[in-house]
């Protein structure tokens, strides 16, 4: 099981297009309690992304047993079909989050699983969880 971060793409983009480095920023959506409207704010390079993970819906998806059981069943069926054709099953999990579905694919017999996550703190967490 391989967990990749999309940061390699961004680094490559910056190397070939210096203007991209000047234009790239991280934005965070917030709710203004006074007006009740959502607003976008640019975060500086010292922003604590771990707080973003804590406020996200990752844990909701992890604890959704019905959803996860259906994904597991779907992966078992799909991987089984590929194997019955005599082919290796390769799974690409884009937006892996914690890596749960990637691990389910590996348990279902996938020959190779590649998990991609653009949110660097979550990609780091997925690597630790998978190891």
């Amino acid at each position: 099981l391989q967990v990749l971060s999309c940061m390699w793409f961004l680094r490559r983009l910056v190397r070939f297009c210096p203007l991209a480095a000047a234009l790239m920023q991280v934005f965070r959506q917030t709710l203004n309690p006074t007006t009740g409207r959502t607003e976008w704010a640019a975060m500086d390079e010292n922003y604590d992304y771990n707080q973003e993970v804590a406020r996200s819906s990752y844990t909701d998806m992890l604890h959704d047993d019905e959803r996860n059981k259906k994904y597991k069943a779907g992966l078992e069926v799909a991987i089984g079909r590929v194997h019955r054709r005599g082919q290796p099953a390769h799974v690409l999990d884009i937006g892996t989050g914690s890596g749960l579905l990637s691990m389910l694919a590996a348990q279902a017999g996938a020959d190779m699983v590649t998990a991609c996550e653009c949110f660097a703190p979550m990609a780091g967490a997925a690597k630790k969880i998978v190891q």
Side-chain angles (χ1 to χ4, degrees):
L1 184 62
Q2 181 181 19
V3 179
L4 303 175
S5 169
C6 295
M7 296 309 292
W8 66 268
F9 172 75
L10 296 176
R11 283 190 208 107
R12 186 173 237 172
L13 175 66
V14 169
R15 188 173 11 157
F16 293 112
C17 182
L19 180 59
L23 298 176
M24 282 195 293
Q25 289 186 342
V26 174
F27 291 91
R28 181 174 172 269
Q29 186 179 22
T30 59
L31 177 65
N32 183 324
T34 306
T35 64
R37 294 185 177 158
T38 56
E39 300 172 350
W40 289 94
M43 301 291 105
D44 67 15
E45 65 274 0
N46 297 318
Y47 180 68
D48 182 8
Y49 291 102
N50 293 316
Q51 294 301 315
E52 211 53 42
V53 172
R55 288 188 292 268
S56 70
S57 60
Y58 288 111
T59 55
D60 293 339
M61 289 186 282
L62 285 174
H63 291 101
D64 188 344
D65 286 340
E66 185 177 343
R67 169 191 176 270
N68 296 332
K69 286 177 184 175
K70 288 180 180 179
Y71 270 112
K72 184 177 190 284
L75 285 164
E76 289 169 349
V77 169
I79 291 168
R81 283 182 185 162
V82 172
H83 283 159
R84 282 192 295 282
R85 289 194 311 252
Q87 299 173 324
H90 299 275
V91 175
L92 174 60
D93 183 4
I94 299 174
T96 195
S98 66
L100 174 67
L101 299 181
S102 293
M103 290 184 287
L104 291 176
Q107 286 178 347
D111 298 290
M112 181 178 177
V113 179
T114 302
C116 298
E117 177 60 53
C118 283
F119 187 46
M122 205 67 226
K127 285 180 183 179
K128 289 178 184 176
I129 291 167
V130 168
Q131 293 171 349

